[in-house]
Amino acid sequence: IGIFLKQVQNSKEIKALLEKSDKTFSKLIKDAILSNDTSVLDIDRIQGLVQGVPEDSELQTIKEWAATPGNTLDRLNEVDCFFLEVMEIPQYVQRLKCWRFTLKYKEDNSSIEVELLKIRKGLLCISNSKQFLRILEIVLAIGNFMNHGTRTGNTVGFDISVLVKLGETRANDSVAGSLLDFLISTVETSYPEVMLWTTELADLKYAKEASWDKIDTLIKELKASLTVVKGLLGGITLLPEPHMDKFGDIKEAVAKAEEEFDETKILYD
């Protein structure tokens, strides 16, 4: 954590902020947490602070040392001084986790929406395609003709997986080729206008890029994160005036995120 804090302190933007104010580095970070200042703390830095929190026993030792008469803060190392300062914030770690969630949520939810919209775009191009529907009608007609006189010879529909098997179904005469070859020949000869069906399904390439497994994983992860954060919110108290504690904005951001996520789940369901 000492190396991490030093890297943050020596960053160009933090140096500039410290030069413009009379605050110490610890006070700058403390005020940034209370005011949700992303110009000081971004997602990665917040995560670094969360991961670098000392054990409760270590913090208690630091507090007891600082409260002992005769001990002065200038005798503490920089890391201990830092945590002595920021731990004045109630539920320090829980606040950071909630804040990080609100910053990361938009990116996570957008990733889900992008995947869902890819699939939606593919489904729309299929449902709006007139020529692809004609292809399906022709496949159905050929199937009914081939199965004439059997229990499946007058069916009104078929499983979409049948399309994959068209290239595997071959005539007894090997020269005649597969059923797929016959379908193509029939369409080219008798229904040339239907050959435009591939153009109508151009947007299927977007759906092909999407993954239901990926969407399912992202949904579950975001739902779990939201549940954890909602559980943390109830136990976080605000500093009294005159402190400028803007954690209320984090609570509002979490509530808004939950509403948006509910809308995303509607697309998913």
Side-chain angles (χ1 to χ4, degrees):
I1 183 65
I3 296 174
F4 168 75
L5 292 175
K6 186 63 68 176
Q7 289 174 340
V8 175
Q9 187 173 1
N10 290 334
S11 63
K12 184 177 179 180
E13 67 273 22
I14 297 300
K15 277 186 174 180
L17 290 172
L18 290 172
E19 289 173 359
K20 293 178 182 178
S21 70
D22 57 357
K23 295 180 181 179
T24 64
F25 172 67
S26 301
K27 184 67 165 63
L28 180 71
I29 298 300
K30 177 184 177 182
D31 289 349
I33 295 171
L34 290 173
S35 61
N36 313 319
D37 188 350
T38 54
S39 68
V40 175
L41 294 174
D42 57 16
I43 293 177
D44 293 333
R45 286 176 178 173
I46 293 171
Q47 183 62 18
L49 291 176
V50 171
Q51 293 175 339
V53 174
E55 297 292 333
D56 291 341
S57 58
E58 295 178 283
L59 291 173
Q60 187 60 34
T61 299
I62 296 172
K63 290 179 181 179
E64 290 176 356
W65 187 92
T68 301
N71 288 340
T72 56
L73 296 183
D74 59 348
R75 295 171 59 189
L76 281 176
N77 62 51
E78 291 184 358
V79 174
D80 289 345
C81 283
F82 173 83
F83 282 110
L84 197 61
E85 178 88 48
V86 298
M87 283 303 173
E88 293 178 2
I89 302 174
Q91 299 82 42
Y92 165 76
V93 176
Q94 292 86 336
R95 281 172 174 253
L96 290 176
K97 289 180 177 179
C98 292
W99 186 16
R100 182 179 184 277
F101 170 83
T102 62
L103 298 179
K104 195 171 182 296
Y105 162 77
K106 185 168 290 187
E107 175 186 339
D108 291 343
N109 193 54
S110 294
S111 296
I112 296 171
E113 289 181 336
V114 167
E115 294 298 307
L116 288 173
L117 289 174
K118 287 177 183 177
I119 293 176
R120 183 180 179 85
K121 197 166 187 176
L123 291 174
L124 283 175
C125 80
I126 290 176
S127 61
N128 293 333
S129 173
K130 296 179 180 179
Q131 303 307 333
F132 181 62
L133 181 59
R134 293 285 306 281
I135 290 288
L136 298 181
E137 291 173 348
I138 295 169
V139 171
L140 179 62
I142 292 174
N144 282 334
F145 176 77
M146 293 175 60
N147 295 312
H148 178 69
T150 70
R151 62 182 181 83
T152 58
N154 192 31
T155 186
V156 295
F158 60 88
D159 193 296
I160 198 69
S161 63
V162 168
L163 297 179
V164 180
K165 300 176 182 178
L166 293 178
E168 303 171 1
T169 306
R170 309 188 72 83
N172 292 331
D173 181 1
S174 60
V175 177
S178 67
L179 187 55
L180 180 59
D181 295 323
F182 176 74
L183 172 64
I184 294 173
S185 176
T186 300
V187 173
E188 288 179 335
T189 304
S190 304
Y191 311 97
E193 72 283 0
V194 178
M195 293 301 291
L196 295 174
W197 70 276
T198 54
T199 303
E200 292 181 337
L201 298 185
D203 284 349
L204 271 182
K205 61 185 179 184
Y206 299 109
K208 184 180 179 181
E209 297 171 358
S211 165
W212 274 115
D213 289 340
K214 179 180 179 180
I215 294 171
D216 191 50
T217 299
L218 290 173
I219 287 280
K220 289 178 180 177
E221 289 177 350
L222 187 51
K223 182 179 180 181
S225 297
L226 182 57
T227 300
V228 170
V229 167
K230 287 171 62 180
L232 294 175
L233 287 179
I236 296 177
T237 56
L238 274 65
L239 282 173
E241 294 183 353
H243 296 283
M244 295 294 291
D245 192 343
K246 295 186 177 181
F247 187 75
D249 294 345
I250 300 295
K251 290 184 176 181
E252 292 179 6
V254 172
K256 183 179 179 182
E258 185 175 17
E259 292 177 2
E260 292 178 358
F261 185 53
D262 286 340
E263 295 176 1
T264 300
K265 286 191 293 184
I266 291 175
L267 286 175
Y268 174 70
D269 296 335

